[in-house]
Structures are given as C-alpha cells and as structure tokens.
Amino acid sequence: MLSINTENLDKIDSAHGLTQGEIEKETALIDTFLENIHKRKQGFYKIIDDSGLHEKVHSFAANAKTKYKDIVILGIGGSALGTICLQQTLKHLYENELDSAPKLHVLDNIDPELIAEIQDIISLESTLFIVVTKSGGTPETISQYFYFRNLIDNKGFNPQNHFIFITDPEKGLLRKIATEEHFISFEVPPDVGGRFSVLTAVGLVPAAIIGIDIDKLIEGAKSMRDNFLDERKESNLPFKLATIQYLLEKKGKSINIIIPYAQKLIKFADWYKQLLAESIGKKSNENGEDVFTGITPVNALGVTDQHSQSQLYNEGPNDKLLLFIKTKEKATDISIPNLFPENESLSYLNDLTFGKLIDTEMEGTLQALTKNDRPTITIEIDKINAYALGELFMLFEAATAFLGEFYNINAFDQPGVELSKILTKQLLTPTENDSST
Ligand code: PA5
C-alpha cells in the first residue's frame, strides 16, 4: 500500500513547514468536503466499478493486438496524457524499439512535422487510429482525424477497419460520425472530465492493447478510492495530500514540484501537471467572487534534476513544495563493480547497486532540502506496477477533488481551455469582411 511521509514538514522552520497538529486540525472538514464532492456528481471514482466496460475492453484488445502493428492515438490533453503515462510507466522503456507489436504512438500535437514524420514509421495498412475526444469537437483532434481519414480513404481501405472512436455517448461531431458510419466506439462518461478520464476507455483501451494489466490498474485505483471515501480521517491519504498542498500554498508555496525518482514515472508528472493546473487554476469561486486560485505544477526527475533544477530548489525563492515519489522495491537492480577497490576515495562504491545509489541520492537531496528549510513530502509506492499506478492516479485525482473544496472552486470545469477552443474556431472561420476583400 502506498504511503505518504511528511516528516520533513515538522523538522523545518514552521514558517515553511507544517506541524502534525496543523495537518490534523483540517480533518474536521473531511465529512463536509466528501458530501460536497458527492453533490458534484462526478464519476471519476465510480467509473472503476464498470465491469461491463472492462469486459468490452478486454475483448476488443484481444482482437486488436493480433490485427495491427501500430496503434496511433489522435487526441490531446486528458485524451492523451494518461495513455502516454501508462505506456511509459508500465512497458519497457524502449518498447517501440524492440521487436514488439503492436507499437503505440500518441499524437498529442498538431505540429506538421509530427504529422508528417509519424508516417515514416507506420504502415497505414496495419495501423489502427484511436480517435479520442471527450467533447468530440476539439479542433486539434478533429483535424488529425480528417487528415488520416483522408489518407485511408485515398488508399481505398475500409475506414471501419482503421478507426475507432472514444467520445461522449451522445454529443459532438465524433459521436455523430460513429453512429452514422457504424464505427466501433467507446464512451467517455459525461460525468468524467477529460483530465480525470485515464481509468475510463480513454486509457484502458490503448493500455489493454499493448498488454498492460488493466485489472490490476483498476484494483489499485479501487483500493485508493476506498481510502478516499473512508471517513477514518487520519488515514485518508488524498485528504492528507490536499491538506498539505493547500496549507502550504497559504504559506507561500504556490509551486508544486513533482519529482519521481524513477525513470518510468517521468510521464506521471506530465499527467499530474494537467490535472492540477486545469482543476485548481480558477478565476472565480463558487460564490462568484474573483479569487484567481492556482498551484503551479512543475515536473522534475530524480536524479537527473539534481544536476539541473535542484540548486534553485535549495537556495532560490522558498515558494515550492516538493512532492517526491519513491519506490520501495526496484523491479530491476544492477550491481556496480568497483574497478579500483584499492582506491580509498572510491570505497563508497563497494557493494553498491544502482538501486541503492538512486535511493541514497534521494535521501541526500531530501536532507539538503530539510537543512535549507524547504518543504517536501515523500509518496512511497511498493514497486512500479499496474496496481501502484492505479493507486497513484486515484490518489492525485481524489486529492485534487479535495483541493477544489478547500478553495471553494469547481475543480471539474475548464472555462479557460474552452474559451481558447472557441476563439481558435472563430479565428479560422471566414467572416463577411474577409470574403468581400
Ligand atoms: O480536462 C479537460 O477536459 C481538457 O483539458 C481536455 O482533456 C482537452 O482539452 C481535450 O479535450 P477533448 O477530450 O474534448 O478533445
């Protein structure tokens, strides 16, 4: 089971840290917050019980994994980041360079070079495009779909063999196309926001096709969901995480650095960046007052960023909370041979493994930050596997829901993102003035 270590917060100067008492005082709010969250009728913690969906995903994936060499996701934001994280965390780091099939590629941008160059590594004939858009009308995703649909049509291939859709059950352009042209499709439940959708068909379909154990992923998420809904207050980990983020933001720590000490979790930080930024960055609160809330997420990687951003974290402005993610057990460990055992200055290399080295470097980094009065917490997972990733997804989703309640904002909308989508469409739509000139 995942745990959260908050020891450092009690050790540093109280102006920058938190006492156990300060954290525990907030637990009086859990019942009200849970009640409020239930009233918001969000599905992110309920969707994991949809065993019908899981069966449908398994049966589609069993067929798709033998039929296609390449799987290309067309989608952006919440329709892409979870899938990227699932692949990076749970597959071989060089999966697509191995002789494996099918290979998964996520096209989460519309840069023409990306659109052009993907075509150098896939063969349309053996490619399945999974078009993922909750709203069914995001310009980036619709443009990608039109482009690749045109290529498939021009080749004379049957589009029903090359596209499936994951979108709203009723609304949007993509659902209309799916219905009218009889494409295989999956649903993004209307009560699950894009950035909360990784445990719906959005993440599960591609994950199952590339052989990820989605049942274990769901199992891990369920165990954390049960913890989230548990009213035994001290052990509610999502509430504890949100409390620390909120109280420290009030003490000026408006930046959260997410720093996993595991290469495979590098994209987890990217996934979480969207979740935190879009959910908590809000102009108005629930009373309609201007509040301009937000915590700025920054991703980092241990130990790589010890030699890049760590200087800033130790001695720059004390405006950050660092969220370390650590693994208790390494799936793989490798001994480091000491090639000069007679050299005393290298004696630290005796009996060392890369696993011990990375853990020790993390400990050294934590101690340095503590000495510099910098707040940190350490989230420890047992091991990198589907179960633990399920726990992590749910921990951060549920903590984000609690954070929304602390700020009294709606953590589940994204008016700023919607506005830019509307303005982009307007800018691209010819006006009467354009046509008369
Ligand atoms: O969280 C959200 O809802 C957004 O960030 C979306 O994920 C993103 O804009 C993509 O939207 P859609 O899935 O509707 O194409």
Side-chain angles (χ1 to χ4, degrees):
M1 174 80 186
L2 179 154
S3 63
I4 304 180
N5 182 334
T6 60
E7 254 170 47
N8 145 292
L9 301 178
D10 226 348
K11 284 187 192 157
I12 65 175
D13 181 338
S14 62
H16 302 292
L18 293 170
T19 62
Q20 211 43 41
E22 279 177 286
I23 298 173
E24 273 164 23
K25 197 167 148 239
E26 301 299 318
T27 54
L29 293 167
I30 289 191
D31 297 332
T32 317
F33 282 7
L34 278 175
E35 215 176 289
N36 291 351
I37 291 168
H38 290 313
K39 280 193 200 139
R40 291 185 186 278
K41 300 203 183 310
Q42 290 298 312
F44 74 90
Y45 56 97
K46 300 175 197 152
I47 179 70
I48 50 181
D49 296 321
D50 187 350
S51 51
L53 166 69
H54 305 150
E55 272 167 41
K56 191 180 165 195
V57 170
H58 276 304
S59 106
F60 176 79
N63 181 33
K65 64 169 74 151
T66 57
K67 197 167 160 194
Y68 301 102
K69 289 200 180 121
D70 290 282
I71 309 293
V72 178
I73 307 293
L74 308 180
I76 198 160
S79 293
L81 289 162
T83 300
I84 296 172
C85 170
L86 281 160
Q87 181 181 29
Q88 169 83 15
T89 309
L90 300 175
K91 299 300 288 183
H92 192 288
L93 285 170
Y94 300 98
E95 184 72 6
N96 282 358
E97 287 154 59
L98 296 171
D99 193 17
S100 59
K103 298 185 193 304
L104 175 68
H105 319 273
V106 182
L107 250 58
D108 64 338
N109 204 347
I110 41 162
D111 185 324
E113 286 187 296
L114 180 69
I115 307 292
E117 291 181 13
I118 182 82
Q119 293 172 61
D120 295 336
I121 60 158
I122 60 169
S123 158
L124 288 178
E125 203 176 358
S126 55
T127 296
L128 173 69
F129 293 93
I130 306 185
V131 193
V132 192
T133 163
K134 176 181 161 62
S135 60
T138 299
E140 291 89 338
T141 309
I142 295 300
S143 318
Q144 290 176 336
Y145 167 62
F146 282 7
Y147 177 79
F148 287 105
R149 171 72 193 263
N150 193 44
L151 287 186
I152 292 286
D153 287 348
N154 288 345
K155 289 263 182 200
F157 299 155
N158 179 358
Q160 277 72 17
N161 284 335
H162 292 278
F163 292 93
I164 67 157
F165 298 153
I166 304 180
T167 191
D168 186 274
E170 283 172 16
K171 289 192 244 144
L173 175 66
L174 218 60
R175 176 52 61 192
K176 189 167 178 286
I177 299 172
T179 309
E180 285 173 3
E181 299 190 39
H182 308 292
F183 281 100
I184 291 179
S185 69
F186 289 84
E187 297 177 359
V188 187
D191 60 357
V192 180
R195 57 192 174 276
F196 290 86
S197 68
V198 61
L199 298 171
T200 70
V202 171
L204 297 183
V205 171
I209 299 176
I210 58 169
I212 286 171
D213 187 344
I214 61 164
D215 297 326
K216 284 274 174 240
L217 184 75
I218 293 294
E219 206 182 307
K222 278 186 181 170
S223 87
M224 186 56 68
R225 184 267 312 270
D226 295 347
N227 181 256
F228 161 55
L229 300 177
D230 188 348
E231 279 148 22
R232 272 170 303 156
K233 304 171 177 29
E234 285 72 32
S235 55
N236 189 315
L237 295 180
F239 187 80
K240 186 173 181 182
L241 175 57
T243 303
I244 293 165
Q245 290 174 291
Y246 174 74
L247 292 180
L248 284 176
E249 191 271 321
K250 294 287 155 222
K251 290 191 180 184
K253 318 302 167 200
S254 61
I255 300 172
N256 278 188
I257 315 288
I258 304 99
I259 178 161
Y261 268 64
Q263 191 72 30
K264 290 200 169 187
L265 285 171
I266 189 170
K267 298 291 181 186
F268 181 81
D270 277 352
W271 170 83
Y272 181 52
K273 262 194 327 193
Q274 184 206 15
L275 183 69
L276 182 62
E278 279 190 8
S279 304
I280 306 303
K282 296 288 153 69
K283 178 180 178 215
S284 315
N285 67 12
E286 294 291 55
N287 307 328
E289 296 151 350
D290 280 358
V291 281
F292 303 103
T293 55
I295 295 178
T296 303
V298 172
N299 55 331
L301 178 68
V303 303
T304 311
D305 276 294
Q306 285 177 207
H307 302 273
S308 166
Q309 304 190 64
S310 162
Q311 172 61 32
L312 170 75
Y313 301 160
N314 270 287
E315 295 188 354
N318 198 344
D319 53 1
K320 302 166 193 68
L321 160 66
L322 288 102
L323 311 173
F324 282 75
I325 307 180
K326 182 187 177 187
T327 56
K328 208 180 278 172
E329 204 186 309
K330 310 278 172 263
T332 307
D333 203 357
I334 300 174
S335 294
I336 306 169
N338 186 353
L339 299 184
F340 298 98
E342 65 290 352
N343 182 338
E344 269 193 24
S345 69
L346 291 174
S347 64
Y348 71 92
L349 283 168
N350 292 338
D351 301 321
L352 194 59
T353 66
F354 280 104
K356 188 172 173 203
L357 183 57
I358 195 170
D359 283 349
T360 313
E361 292 209 14
M362 181 177 145
E363 188 50 39
T365 303
L366 281 167
Q367 288 186 14
L369 289 161
T370 304
K371 277 194 190 328
N372 283 315
D373 283 324
R374 307 296 157 135
T376 69
I377 59 169
T378 304
I379 296 163
E380 187 171 77
I381 56 170
D382 286 337
K383 202 175 179 172
I384 293 188
N385 56 29
Y387 184 92
L389 186 58
E391 285 183 309
L392 278 175
F393 280 140
M394 190 53 70
L395 169 71
F396 281 89
E397 288 183 6
T400 303
F402 276 135
L403 260 183
E405 299 310 317
F406 271 116
Y407 287 107
N408 185 29
I409 54 160
N410 181 356
F412 302 99
D413 64 0
Q414 54 287 321
V417 180
E418 305 303 345
L419 179 62
S420 67
K421 287 186 190 180
I422 292 166
L423 294 176
T424 301
K425 285 185 192 166
Q426 276 178 14
L427 288 168
L428 288 169
T429 307
T431 61
E432 275 182 28
N433 286 350
D434 291 339
S435 53
S436 62
T437 51

